[in-house]
Amino acid sequence: MDRRQRRNPSASSSAFSSPASSLSRFRSEKFSSNPPKTSNSLEDAHQLKSKCGKPQRPEQEEEEEQDPNNLLSLVGTCPFMCPDGERAQRERLRDLAVFERLHGNPGKTSPSLAVKKFCRTIATKHMQASEVRPLLVLEETLNYLLNLLDATEHPFEVVHDFVFDRTRSIRQDLSMQNIVNDQTIHMYEEMGESLSLWLGRVPSLILKSKEMCFARRLLRLFRMGNYKRFLCTTATEASYLQYYIIEPYINEVRALALSCVNYCGYKLHPYPIAHLSKLLMMKELDVESFCNACGLETSTDERGNKFLSTKQTNFHYPKEVFPSYYLLGLEHF
């Protein structure tokens, strides 16, 4: 059978009979309908916010990161592409992408259509096995998603946004279960290859456009972890609209940079906040706030100069949403 052959989106969910699990947290879908103004929907929305947006205390995050058994102990048991709880809640909220709607109904889906959404905020230690999908279900889900790349009845951006979000969710479930084997390597390769082939269908005029070249270059820097060039390129080349799209990822890149400085610095020589301000392209006051949000402490010497002590062991990526820190170099807007 050809490797590219995929499951029919309208097929039943019987293929998902093995144990699996999925996450009941998810981000809002760009193309979903607005939720009806009923008490149940408001309650569901409140629950959704509390699940995906509730900040953790630094000591909780540190404890979770320092305990390697957290990843090893979780084995998913959800048999569907989307767990029952999330599916039912999203039906009530009418939070269904166009691919997930049963007969086009924005408030109705099925196990063979709904796919678990990606959620940036995650605490593995609080996950239930029934909320996470095992490897076999994740493979079936990936096949289903890649099959949608052949869809022609929906615009390019609709297909891209849906597949991109749901494949991130697959990677998230793999990471939470600490699954590392030949099957997962094949899945990652298949995701990359299929999306590259799909991108190859984009008209040459679009691929060679200034905007597309900028987006692909920035994505490459993001994936490489080249935080310095990512920030500089964004500040000097991004248009106002492009910056608005990139902004949610800027603090992610800054956190990576801060992690590198913290772990790679020399303990006896604290890193000046003034230098860190230039590296992260932030105001010095914002740098202090950012360091604290990442669990790091700063100090001030007798001359009033501020420093970041390196080799601190309590660094963590904040679970809560970052404030919108200004990116220095955007004066051209």
Side-chain angles (χ1 to χ4, degrees):
M1 182 180 294
D2 183 61
R3 181 183 60 81
R4 294 276 302 170
Q5 186 173 352
R6 309 296 178 199
R7 290 180 65 246
N8 190 324
S10 62
S12 68
S13 61
S14 60
F16 298 97
S17 57
S18 62
S21 71
S22 172
L23 191 58
S24 124
R25 291 132 169 116
F26 48 91
R27 297 166 63 189
S28 60
E29 174 67 34
K30 179 179 179 181
F31 299 95
S32 62
S33 301
N34 292 326
K37 296 182 179 180
T38 65
S39 58
N40 287 339
S41 294
L42 291 175
E43 181 180 354
D44 289 338
H46 176 73
Q47 293 174 353
L48 176 59
K49 180 179 179 181
S50 65
K51 286 182 178 181
C52 271
K54 184 178 180 181
Q56 287 182 291
R57 299 192 307 273
E59 56 267 26
Q60 289 177 320
E61 296 165 341
E62 180 182 354
E63 176 186 353
E64 180 176 341
E65 290 181 357
Q66 290 178 351
D67 184 2
N69 294 322
N70 285 330
L71 291 177
L72 298 176
S73 61
L74 181 61
V75 178
T77 60
C78 175
F80 306 115
M81 294 190 292
C82 181
D84 291 333
E86 177 183 330
R87 188 171 66 248
Q89 188 176 43
R90 289 171 58 198
E91 283 183 324
R92 291 193 297 270
L93 292 173
R94 301 172 71 85
D95 184 24
L96 299 171
V98 293
F99 302 101
E100 300 174 307
R101 300 171 183 177
L102 187 63
H103 307 305
N105 185 346
K108 188 67 176 176
T109 187
S110 71
S112 62
L113 293 176
V115 184
K116 188 203 88 171
K117 297 179 73 174
F118 171 77
C119 180
R120 184 177 301 277
T121 303
I122 266 195
T124 305
K125 60 191 276 188
H126 299 305
M127 286 290 96
Q128 300 295 322
S130 59
E131 296 177 313
V132 184
R133 298 160 294 181
L135 182 58
L136 180 58
V137 177
L138 292 172
E139 287 182 305
E140 291 286 347
T141 304
L142 177 61
N143 288 339
Y144 171 81
L145 291 172
L146 296 184
N147 187 51
L148 293 179
L149 295 178
D150 297 325
T152 58
E153 62 270 25
H154 298 289
F156 174 90
E157 63 272 11
V158 176
V159 180
H160 174 271
D161 281 11
F162 182 76
V163 174
F164 180 76
D165 179 86
R166 281 10 180 218
T167 51
R168 288 188 80 184
S169 172
I170 289 176
R171 296 194 296 270
Q172 196 171 53
D173 276 12
L174 288 171
S175 177
M176 284 194 297
Q177 298 174 86
N178 199 27
I179 301 176
V180 182
N181 54 32
D182 290 343
Q183 289 172 282
T184 58
I185 294 174
H186 176 72
M187 289 173 66
Y188 276 101
E189 289 176 343
E190 195 170 24
M191 280 188 270
E193 179 183 348
S194 298
L195 290 173
S196 296
L197 290 173
W198 183 60
L199 187 62
R201 293 187 233 161
V202 178
S204 177
L205 185 63
I206 295 178
L207 283 178
K208 294 180 180 180
S209 67
K210 177 182 177 182
E211 293 77 11
M212 181 63 83
C213 290
F214 171 80
R216 296 177 70 180
R217 179 155 47 93
L218 207 62
L219 178 61
R220 183 165 57 250
L221 295 174
F222 181 81
R223 289 177 172 172
M224 292 172 58
N226 192 335
Y227 50 82
K228 181 62 176 178
R229 288 190 61 189
F230 179 94
L231 295 173
C232 289
T233 301
T234 299
T236 58
E237 299 183 30
S239 66
Y240 183 83
L241 177 59
Q242 288 171 329
Y243 176 75
Y244 181 79
I245 297 172
I246 299 166
E247 188 177 20
Y249 301 95
I250 290 178
N251 284 328
E252 246 183 80
V253 175
R254 283 170 167 163
L256 171 65
L258 188 58
S259 172
C260 293
V261 170
N262 177 58
Y263 291 120
C264 299
Y266 185 45
K267 190 172 183 178
L268 297 180
H269 294 284
Y271 201 90
I273 293 295
H275 293 178
L276 200 56
S277 171
K278 296 178 181 179
L279 179 66
L280 303 181
M281 303 185 71
M282 303 171 68
K283 298 177 181 178
E284 289 191 30
L285 288 177
D286 290 341
V287 172
E288 286 190 83
S289 172
F290 188 76
C291 289
N292 295 334
C294 291
L296 301 179
E297 298 180 355
T298 58
S299 59
T300 305
D301 64 12
E302 61 279 359
R303 297 182 179 179
N305 298 316
K306 298 180 179 180
F307 296 89
L308 170 71
S309 298
T310 56
K311 301 297 185 184
Q312 296 186 46
T313 60
N314 54 343
F315 174 86
H316 59 78
Y317 287 87
K319 305 298 181 183
E320 66 272 13
V321 178
F322 276 115
S324 181
Y325 296 114
Y326 180 73
L327 179 67
L328 297 178
L330 292 177
E331 290 76 10
H332 61 283
F333 283 169

